[in-house]
Amino acid sequence: MTTASLAAGTLSLLAPVASAAPCDPWPPAGIGGGSGSLGGSSGGSIGAPGRPATPWHDGGSGYIPVLEGRTTTVELLTGPTSPNNTVERFGIWGTDLGIMWENGGAGGEDQVHMALGDTMGDCDEPGDQWRSNILFRSGDRTLHDGMRIDNAPMERTGMAKSILPRSNMPGETTVIPTAGVEVGGVQYLRYMSVERWGTPGEWTTNYSALARSADNGDNWQPVSGTARRGTAPMPLPAELGEEFTRHTDGQMSAFLKHEGFIYEYLTPSGRSGSARLARVPEADIEDMDAYEYWTGTGWSDEHRDARPVLGAPTVNTAVSELSVTYSEHLDRFIALYNNRQNNIVMAQAETPWGPWSGEDIVVSYSQVPTLYGAFVHPWSPAVETDGEDLYYTMSTWDAYNVFLMRTDLSDIPPRNVPNPNARMRTTDDSWTRNTPDPADTGETVLVERRSLPGA
């Protein structure tokens, strides 16, 4: 943990609709809490029933959860006191998510791109300087002392722009990125159009679609023909053309590049679904007819044949805010996600389709009850090399900002893959069991809740 980091802590903006105003007073009328693009664990999503808020704006204070042990808090990446100075540089007081991927050297520089969700600036300004989403770029490979943000696509000096603005069509509250990947120097985002935020952990989507950027993330265009319809009835924006299909199980995504394929893990809107798996050759990422879906025994070109790989009753519980990568340290694929108990957990597998292991808690709900989202940094030593440290982002709805976290994978109990050819059952259940909460065992300790200043 870096104490210094923790302590230092021509596009017009669209006016926010009433159901998504991040600067509303705290707490929202009739609600016990909750803010965040993908949902607060305790008070619901960014508007259960539709009114996000930040406690520090109204005289309260969000806090930095200072963890030590197996998992540590590295720094506050965004917001007041962040060493990245996002308030002055980018007009960002509050934001969330932090979905990361490598840009493949686009623009002549190796960078990690970070997509963030609903973003607010100065709450005293008309419209709160609210944006549906923003993008950061970073070339920082030295993560033990934090992650420096190099730049962002800008609307003007001191104001990062919304890279995928809302359409302003009736029935659309916001547009949230859920996954990013680079193919052939082009950046791709999967994003969801949110109709409304509902009860805690639930929301309704109009559709999910791809957007592309050929200039290292500065400008983005929706890709026609890639929309998967959700349950809401809003017509598609004209630039998306005709919907590809109705696919309510495919509204949120996580991308994995592996052996010439893009693997796409699909979950429904909300936080209580299972993850299904699709794949497509990298060069065909924009061709929805080229996707095939894991059936449990093989691949089908029909998404209705897909079966859960994570989150089914016999696999784990529920999957939300999913991030998947390959770990050189473990020599396995790893998935980070929020489970039904709202812990951030890790599962392992030898192939992208599994079978996936039981869960290891990396951040406990009991220590950070306002957490959500966990997105792996692709330059983590445990990802790129045999190093032990896994870095990832985490959001909390009360601070309504993004943290950089670190987990030492050498402290995760080893798991042995069952031998399917064994003649006799063994007593080794290390692959399937869920390990104890490190908050209960003392492997991770909450040292302090360090208050953030009021806005």
Side-chain angles (χ1 to χ4, degrees):
M1 179 182 65
T2 56
T3 304
S5 293
L6 289 171
T10 311
L11 174 69
S12 62
L13 296 178
L14 295 171
V17 296
S19 60
C23 295
D24 283 347
W26 178 267
I31 309 172
S35 171
S37 287
L38 292 186
S41 58
S42 182
S45 50
I46 191 174
R51 296 177 60 80
T54 52
W56 44 262
H57 169 61
D58 203 41
S61 177
Y63 64 88
I64 299 173
V66 182
L67 300 176
E68 291 183 347
R70 189 169 88 183
T71 291
T72 59
T73 308
V74 181
E75 74 173 359
L76 179 69
L77 283 175
T78 64
T81 76
S82 167
N84 283 307
N85 193 17
T86 65
V87 173
E88 296 291 332
R89 295 172 67 199
F90 306 114
I92 296 170
W93 281 91
T95 189
D96 67 348
L97 304 184
I99 299 157
M100 292 183 282
W101 72 95
E102 295 179 281
N103 76 336
E109 183 178 0
D110 288 331
Q111 293 176 315
V112 165
H113 285 197
M114 177 189 290
L116 299 110
D118 283 317
T119 299
M120 79 184 90
D122 187 344
C123 292
D124 293 327
E125 290 290 324
D128 310 325
Q129 297 180 333
W130 181 80
R131 289 143 283 175
S132 277
N133 44 69
I134 56 171
L135 182 75
F136 283 154
R137 293 178 286 232
S138 172
D140 189 357
R141 285 186 173 271
T142 307
L143 302 175
H144 66 85
D145 60 351
M147 176 184 175
R148 299 289 71 80
I149 303 304
D150 295 337
N151 50 55
M154 304 294 286
E155 176 185 349
R156 61 180 185 270
T157 300
M159 185 63 57
K161 73 177 181 180
S162 183
I163 57 171
L164 290 170
R166 286 187 297 113
S167 67
N168 255 359
M169 295 175 65
E172 184 174 75
T173 296
T174 189
V175 174
I176 303 296
T178 65
V181 70
E182 172 271 334
V183 178
V186 177
Q187 314 303 316
Y188 288 94
L189 276 174
R190 258 285 165 187
Y191 64 96
M192 62 177 175
S193 166
V194 177
E195 181 203 31
R196 61 183 176 86
W197 305 106
T199 56
E202 300 297 332
W203 53 91
T204 304
T205 49
N206 297 297
Y207 63 87
S208 164
L210 274 178
R212 72 191 308 272
S213 170
D215 58 6
N216 199 32
D218 276 334
N219 297 286
W220 295 80
Q221 299 80 35
V223 179
S224 181
T226 64
R228 301 173 177 135
R229 289 296 315 209
T231 57
M234 186 192 84
L236 292 180
E239 60 265 30
L240 279 174
E242 295 294 323
E243 67 184 61
F244 172 69
T245 187
R246 179 181 173 89
H247 191 180
T248 57
D249 286 331
Q251 296 299 294
M252 300 171 65
S253 300
F255 286 133
L256 167 72
K257 291 176 74 171
H258 178 61
E259 295 184 345
F261 285 93
I262 301 296
Y263 288 86
E264 185 177 8
Y265 294 81
L266 305 169
T267 61
S269 59
R271 310 186 109 189
S272 56
S274 301
R276 291 163 171 80
L277 180 60
R279 73 176 185 182
V280 65
E282 288 187 21
D284 297 328
I285 187 172
E286 297 185 18
D287 180 4
M288 299 304 296
D289 287 320
Y291 285 67
E292 52 186 5
Y293 303 84
W294 180 249
T295 67
T297 57
W299 297 95
S300 167
D301 60 5
E302 174 52 64
H303 73 79
R304 293 173 181 83
D305 295 333
R307 295 294 177 266
V309 294
L310 276 167
T314 57
V315 179
N316 281 311
T317 52
V319 176
S320 66
E321 293 101 67
L322 179 64
S323 174
V324 184
T325 190
Y326 185 80
S327 168
E328 291 288 347
H329 174 78
L330 293 174
D331 193 23
R332 288 173 182 160
F333 297 94
I334 58 174
L336 294 189
Y337 56 92
N338 286 72
N339 68 1
R340 193 175 299 279
Q341 290 73 41
N342 209 56
N343 302 301
I344 295 175
V345 300
M346 183 181 80
Q348 308 175 31
E350 293 197 312
T351 68
W353 49 90
W356 288 85
S357 72
E359 298 172 346
D360 296 298
I361 296 173
V362 296
V363 185
S364 173
Y365 169 85
S366 68
Q367 293 177 324
V368 190
T370 58
L371 63 80
Y372 61 102
F375 303 99
V376 174
H377 195 300
W379 292 348
S380 298
V383 172
E384 285 198 310
T385 70
D386 194 37
E388 300 168 343
D389 292 335
L390 181 71
Y391 291 91
Y392 50 96
T393 55
M394 177 188 77
S395 302
T396 65
W397 59 256
D398 54 354
Y400 197 59
N401 271 294
V402 181
F403 299 87
L404 183 66
M405 310 298 292
R406 181 195 69 87
T407 294
D408 186 343
L409 294 192
S410 67
D411 290 336
I412 299 290
R415 292 183 180 274
N416 300 316
V417 180
N419 180 1
N421 300 317
R423 294 185 178 182
M424 299 179 61
R425 294 182 61 184
T426 68
T427 58
D428 182 2
D429 65 347
S430 63
W431 185 255
T432 56
R433 70 170 179 258
N434 295 335
T435 56
D437 189 334
D440 295 335
T441 63
E443 295 168 278
T444 299
V445 177
L446 177 63
V447 176
E448 179 186 0
R449 289 187 171 99
R450 188 169 300 167
S451 294
L452 287 170

mmCIF file of all heavy atoms in Angstrom, residues 30 115 217 307:
data_model
loop_
_atom_site.group_PDB
_atom_site.id
_atom_site.type_symbol
_atom_site.label_atom_id
_atom_site.label_comp_id
_atom_site.label_asym_id
_atom_site.label_seq_id
_atom_site.Cartn_x
_atom_site.Cartn_y
_atom_site.Cartn_z
ATOM 1 N N GLY A 30 -36.500 8.773 -0.132
ATOM 2 C CA GLY A 30 -37.128 7.464 -0.057
ATOM 3 C C GLY A 30 -36.198 6.298 -0.266
ATOM 4 O O GLY A 30 -36.642 5.163 -0.362
ATOM 5 N N ALA A 115 -12.129 2.407 -19.665
ATOM 6 C CA ALA A 115 -13.449 2.985 -19.894
ATOM 7 C C ALA A 115 -14.194 3.095 -18.566
ATOM 8 O O ALA A 115 -14.207 2.151 -17.773
ATOM 9 C CB ALA A 115 -14.245 2.130 -20.871
ATOM 10 N N GLY A 217 -9.053 5.706 -29.667
ATOM 11 C CA GLY A 217 -10.067 6.009 -28.672
ATOM 12 C C GLY A 217 -10.558 7.425 -28.637
ATOM 13 O O GLY A 217 -11.412 7.766 -27.818
ATOM 14 N N ARG A 307 -25.135 -22.438 -22.955
ATOM 15 C CA ARG A 307 -25.355 -22.848 -21.568
ATOM 16 C C ARG A 307 -24.377 -22.110 -20.663
ATOM 17 O O ARG A 307 -23.263 -21.778 -21.084
ATOM 18 C CB ARG A 307 -25.162 -24.358 -21.421
ATOM 19 C CG ARG A 307 -26.188 -25.172 -22.195
ATOM 20 C CD ARG A 307 -27.590 -24.974 -21.639
ATOM 21 N NE ARG A 307 -28.608 -25.683 -22.403
ATOM 22 C CZ ARG A 307 -29.320 -25.150 -23.387
ATOM 23 N NH1 ARG A 307 -29.120 -23.882 -23.743
ATOM 24 N NH2 ARG A 307 -30.231 -25.848 -24.025
#
